[in-house]
Amino acid sequence: ALEAMNSVDPAEYDLRKLHEAVQHDVDVLSEIWHRVKDIGPESDAKLTRLEELLSKELRGRKVLVFSYYRDTARYIYKQLTKEDRGAPRRKLRDVTLRRMDSDSSPKVRVRVIQEFSPKSNKKPELVGTDKEIDILISTDVLSEGQNLQDCGHLVNYDLHWNPTRMVQRAGRIDRIGTEFDTLWIYNMFPEKGLEKLLGLVESLSRKIEAIDSAGFLDASILGETVHPQNFNTLRRIRDEDGNVIEEEEQFTELASSEFMLQQLRNLLGEGGREMLEWLPDGIHSGLVKEGAKGVFFYFQAEPRGHGKIHFWKYWDLNGERFMDNRYLIANLIACERETTRVVDQEIFRSIFELQDLAMEDILKSFQDKQALEIAPKAVDPLQQTLATLLQSYMNHPAVERKSAIETIRFLNQPMLQVQVKELRKIYRDFQNETDIIKLVSDLEELRSRTVSPDLEQRNTEHTSKIRLNRSDLKLICFDILTS
């Protein structure tokens, strides 16, 4: 309530400038409103593309369309079912559309789900009837716990900010019992100008990469390559290793960046800043940690032309390997102010040897990371467009089915920038000439070519690499752990 807010003294502020600033904001917003107020659905390029996808490439297919926002889902449904939208006449003919959102009652949801996917919901009597739904437009209210295996095509009209939700969406059709050999997921990406301003895909890609690096990504979301880790944890659970649950709980707690930030805030708030600034570089300590034996190293580097880079490395003497997961390391080295300082002299005598190993590992890991950053991680939206286009011509007499399937697989793999550039030219030619024979030939020719070393070199010429040398590494501190 306003009464609960702190009062301010107007005399402390330049009210004239405040008024001018507010009026400036009003003028800018008014100008924006005047520019967009007359824009109608007939000018909605994204909606037009969705209608083209549903009426052409996916015509005759059962399709599930997801949107994060209820208003957007209702807007899509309204525009796709209208007789006329003002300017050219558009309508999906001979299809049954329905929508579902948070306002749908549980009874309605059950009915719609059964009518959209009658086989998987044991309602075979609905198959082929007027009640069977061809296209279902829904919010994420439908993204958990439903069987929709009758559907083989899913469209993400917008990209959810949470990668887990994207996986859950795909999980509605990617389930045991599906009769489809291949399930198709279509992502509608923001156009380049909007993406440059908002960074939506970039932000989502960073989250996906973080999940993948932790080993928890079990399915592609935006076309990236999945790197599943081994099943060591599952094997330990099978062997009834009682420490697994405790370790996973610790990891879950520490895996939040907010947890580490809060600990840092607490330390700085208790006068820790002055103490940290006073500590000399290369300082060391030690503590007793049950089950642990190793050394934690913290290095900093400031390569020319770049800011500070921080490196955490923990040498596990039990397993004779390096670990650089900061969340797990933080759990290992965590202690209280009253914790007794214990330095294992046997480990300390070999500290310079271990330090050299840590520096070598940092340099190698950094080079590997640079190489991974250069390599393509995701499928370009154009690749998905061409794969869908080629699929729609599978029954064309000029298309050899087996070769087309191989080309579609090729299009669904991450590509080098120069290859995507060639795809853009191929697609432009097809748009101008609508020659399916030439399109198939051009795509097969591109697929048949092996990526040569000079092609990779041309792709990496535009990638900025940070050069890190051994002399750039500065040891800030190290911590010896012993049982």
Side-chain angles (χ1 to χ4, degrees), residues 249-267:
E249 287 177 346
Q250 289 174 346
F251 182 82
T252 301
E253 180 184 11
L254 287 165
S256 167
S257 57
E258 184 61 29
F259 173 84
M260 298 183 71
L261 286 173
Q262 187 58 48
Q263 286 206 327
L264 179 59
R265 291 191 195 104
N266 293 341
L267 175 64

Side-chain angles (χ1 to χ4, degrees), residues 5 20 49 56 140 148 172 221 258 307 315 457 481:
M5 298 180 67
E20 291 175 351
R49 178 67 190 107
K56 295 179 181 178
D140 289 284
L148 303 175
R172 296 311 97 230
I221 297 174
E258 184 61 29
W315 174 253
Q457 182 178 356
L481 279 66

Side-chain angles (χ1 to χ4, degrees), residues 374-376 383 413-422 451-452 455-457 459-460:
I374 293 171
Q383 295 174 235
Q413 298 297 318
M415 292 185 180
L416 297 171
Q417 294 175 11
V418 290
Q419 291 174 304
V420 175
K421 186 176 180 180
E422 290 188 61
V451 180
S452 61
L455 192 65
E456 293 186 355
Q457 182 178 356
N459 184 67
T460 58

Side-chain angles (χ1 to χ4, degrees), residues 294-301 310-317 320-324 329 350-368 468-479:
V295 185
F296 161 66
F297 293 96
Y298 168 38
F299 290 88
Q300 280 185 4
H310 307 269
F311 300 97
W312 288 24
K313 288 288 180 182
Y314 176 75
W315 174 253
D316 180 6
L317 282 165
E320 294 190 347
R321 62 186 179 90
F322 275 110
M323 183 170 70
D324 54 13
I329 293 175
S350 60
I351 198 67
F352 292 110
E353 178 184 346
L354 296 177
Q355 178 181 326
D356 287 341
L357 290 175
M359 296 174 75
E360 290 176 10
D361 191 76
I362 288 173
L363 294 174
K364 183 180 183 304
S365 299
F366 190 78
Q367 290 170 355
D368 291 343
L468 185 68
N469 300 312
R470 189 182 181 91
S471 58
D472 295 320
L473 296 174
K474 179 172 67 174
L475 178 65
I476 303 300
C477 64
F478 64 92
D479 196 17

Side-chain angles (χ1 to χ4, degrees), residues 243-302:
N243 294 323
V244 173
I245 302 300
E246 182 181 354
E247 290 173 7
E248 292 303 311
E249 287 177 346
Q250 289 174 346
F251 182 82
T252 301
E253 180 184 11
L254 287 165
S256 167
S257 57
E258 184 61 29
F259 173 84
M260 298 183 71
L261 286 173
Q262 187 58 48
Q263 286 206 327
L264 179 59
R265 291 191 195 104
N266 293 341
L267 175 64
L268 296 179
E270 296 169 359
R273 182 182 298 277
E274 293 78 9
M275 177 189 69
L276 291 175
E277 290 177 347
W278 174 81
L279 293 175
D281 291 341
I283 194 170
H284 73 277
S285 187
L287 73 155
V288 174
K289 179 74 69 168
E290 184 179 353
K293 187 176 183 180
V295 185
F296 161 66
F297 293 96
Y298 168 38
F299 290 88
Q300 280 185 4
E302 288 189 77

